[in-house]
Amino acid sequence: MQIIEKTLGQIINGLARDIPERTAVEYTTRNYHRTWKEFDADTDKVAKGLISIGVKKGDKVAIWATNIPEWLLTLFGAAKCGAILVTVNTNYKIFELEYLLTQSDTKVLVMMGGFKDSNYVDIVNELIPELKNAEDGKVSHPALPFLERVIFADGHTPQGMMGFDKLMKLGESVPDEVLRAREAELDCHDVINMQYTSGTTGFPKGVMLTHYNIVNNGNTIGDGMAFTNEDKLCIVVPFFHCFGLVLATMACITHGTTMVPVEAYSPVPVMNAISTAKCTAVHGVPTMFIAMLEHHDFDQFDFSSLRTGIMAGSPCPIEVMKKVVDKMNMRDIVIVFGQTEASPGCTMTTTTDSLEKRVATVGRAFPGVECKIVDPETNLEVPVGTPGEFLARGYNIMKGYYKMPEATKQAIDEDGWLHTGDLCTVDEEGYYKVVGRIKDMIIRGGENIYPKELEEFLYTCDKISDVQVIGVPSKQYGEEIMACIILKKGETMTEQEVKDLVKSHMARHKVPSYVRFMDAFPVTASGKIQKFKLREEAIEILKLQDAANIETA
C-alpha cells in the first residue's frame, strides 16, 4: 500500500491545483455547489476566520449539526489551521452536550438550530444563560472553562451568537501568508479529530485520530470501491460518525470523488439525490437500505447510475445485500468492518470479490493492518473457523482516549493490539466473518449462541422485514433467546410460527423462548441498533428483574 503522509489541508490544496474545475461538493437540497478550487477557497476563509478569533494549533472546535455545508467547511477549515475537530452526536441533549464540551476542553462550538426533538439553541442557552447577551458569541462560563465562542451555522443567527457568514467574512481580512505559516507548522501525525464513542456503559470516550489515521483509512476504502474523480458518492450517513467522516468524506478527498451529502437520512431525499445527481455510490447501514427498498415510491427513482457503496455499521443481512445488488444496481457494493478506535476500518471486501464473499464475510485485512482472532480468556490465537475476539494493529489505531490513560491501556495492549470486543472467525483465505459482540453472545445452559446466525436465518422468511436477536436473563439457563421482529407491511405472524420456523431448520437450543413483534428498533443517530435497549425493554416487559438481579422499584 502507498502511505499518504499529508494533512487534510494539503490534500484539499492539491485537489484545487490538480482538478480545479471538477465538482467537489454538490447538494441537491441546498444551494451549495462547489468545484475543488471554490471549496479550497471557502475552507481557507473558515481557517482564517478561526485564526482571527484566536484559535491556535491544538485547540478544540466542536461541530453540532447534521450534514449541512458548514459541517464540511468547519472540518477542513479547522484542519487547515491545526485545530482539532470534536464531533457532536446530533441526538445529544443538555447533559450529554455539557459532558462532551467539558471533557474535550472545547474552545469553539459551531452549531445549527436543532434536529428531531432536540432544540440546540434552547439547550445551549440553558447551559450558558449569559449567551443571549453576548457579543458575537463570546462567552465565559465557570462550568465550561475552555469555551470562548459559539458560532451559528444555519440560517438566521440567534441573539448573542456569531453567524457562520461573519466568521468567513473575518477570514477574508487575514492575509494568506498567515494561514500558510500555520499550515507549515502542521504534521500528518497531529491529532485532528476527536470522536466520542457511544458505549453502552460508562461515559463516552474521546477517540483521538490523526490526519495519518483517517486519510490512509479513507484512501484504502476508496481504493476498495475503485473510486476515481468520475464518481459521485451520496453521503447519507452522519458526518459526526466515522462512517460519514472517514468511509465517505476521506474516501472522496483521497480520490477526487464528488461528495453529494444529504442533510439527514430519509428514504425519499436520499433516493432523489441518487437519481438527480446521478450518484455512482451510496453508503448506509442495513436499516437505511431496507427502508428504501420497501418504500412505496422506490420504483419512481432511477438507480441506474449506481455502481458501488458500503453497507456497514451493523451486521449486513444476506437477503438485503442481494436485493441491493439486484434492485439498486449496486453490483460493486462492499462491506467495511472495524470501529472508531481503528479510524475505523480494519477489513473490507472489494469490488473484485465474489458476491458470495461480499455477502457472507467482511473481507480481508486492510493493507498495512494486522488482524488476528484470539481466545478472549487466554489471548492466544485460535484455529481457522473458531470464534474469538478480533484484534487489530497498524497505522489506523487511535492515539488513545482523550484524558483517559487507563481506558486506553484497557483497549490497546502493550504490543499495540486494539482489543475490539467483536467476536469473529477467519477462513483459510483470510476472510473474516463477524459472529457478534462478546457482550452480545448468548450463553444458554452452557451453549454459546451467536445472534447473527439466527438473524441471518430469520431474514430468509418472506414475511420478516428486520430482526434482532438478544439474550434475556433466565434463572434456569442463565440466558434465554428473544427474537425482536419487524414484519413487512400487511404481513401477520404469530410467536409460535416463528418458533416452529426456527425449530424446523436449526438446533433445538437455538429456538427463541420469546418473540416480540415491533414497529421499529431503538437506534443511535448513526443508525446502529441499540441491542442493550432491547434487552432493557425485554426485562421490563417480561418482568425478569429478579433473574437479572435488578431491584424492582
Side-chain angles (χ1 to χ4, degrees), residues 276-292:
T276 57
K278 304 296 181 193
C279 293
T280 59
V282 63
H283 294 350
V285 297
T287 52
M288 292 177 177
F289 286 104
I290 290 168
M292 286 190 281

Side-chain angles (χ1 to χ4, degrees), residues 29 135 207 210 250 351 460 517:
T29 53
E135 180 184 349
V207 176
T210 65
M250 294 301 121
T351 59
T460 64
F517 295 103

Side-chain angles (χ1 to χ4, degrees), residues 1-4 216 219 223:
M1 101 179 254
Q2 184 177 1
I3 287 287
I4 298 174
N216 285 292
N219 186 50
D223 285 350

Side-chain angles (χ1 to χ4, degrees), residues 335-519:
I335 285 179
V336 174
F337 165 69
Q339 61 179 213
T340 306
E341 290 86 342
S343 305
C346 294
T347 73
M348 184 179 186
T349 60
T350 67
T351 59
T352 56
D353 282 326
S354 68
L355 182 60
E356 181 185 6
K357 289 292 187 187
R358 281 186 278 140
V359 298
T361 78
V362 292
R364 291 184 279 197
F366 275 20
V369 176
E370 298 174 83
C371 302
K372 66 178 180 179
I373 309 294
V374 303
D375 183 317
E377 298 297 322
T378 65
N379 228 22
L380 298 175
E381 279 195 71
V382 298
V384 165
T386 303
E389 185 180 13
F390 181 91
L391 273 56
R393 181 171 69 179
Y395 71 83
N396 60 329
I397 305 305
M398 66 172 178
K399 279 216 169 175
Y401 296 120
Y402 186 60
K403 299 193 302 190
M404 291 185 176
E406 289 307 312
T408 301
K409 285 181 184 176
Q410 289 175 17
I412 303 171
D413 66 27
E414 293 178 353
D415 295 320
W417 289 99
L418 174 70
H419 292 245
T420 67
D422 287 300
L423 281 171
C424 297
T425 60
V426 64
D427 66 17
E428 295 87 348
E429 297 176 90
Y431 285 87
Y432 291 85
K433 186 171 185 176
V434 181
V435 180
R437 293 283 296 170
I438 288 176
K439 291 178 182 176
D440 288 343
M441 185 176 72
I442 301 165
I443 305 176
R444 182 187 183 277
E447 293 276 6
N448 289 352
I449 296 158
Y450 302 105
K452 190 168 184 289
E453 180 187 18
L454 254 172
E455 289 163 358
E456 291 287 6
F457 168 68
L458 288 169
Y459 272 120
T460 64
C461 176
D462 291 337
K463 293 183 177 183
I464 293 174
S465 171
D466 206 351
V467 58
Q468 294 295 314
V469 172
I470 60 171
V472 295
S474 165
K475 280 190 171 181
Q476 184 177 1
Y477 293 106
E479 283 186 295
E480 294 277 15
I481 302 166
M482 172 183 262
C484 302
I485 290 172
I486 297 174
L487 293 173
K488 292 179 180 176
K489 287 180 183 177
E491 296 289 356
T492 59
M493 207 172 184
T494 67
E495 183 174 347
Q496 193 57 49
E497 282 181 294
V498 174
K499 292 179 179 181
D500 289 344
L501 180 65
V502 176
K503 189 177 180 181
S504 64
H505 289 79
M506 304 185 83
R508 182 180 292 273
H509 69 273
K510 296 178 183 178
V511 176
S513 298
Y514 308 100
V515 178
R516 182 184 176 194
F517 295 103
M518 306 176 66
D519 294 324

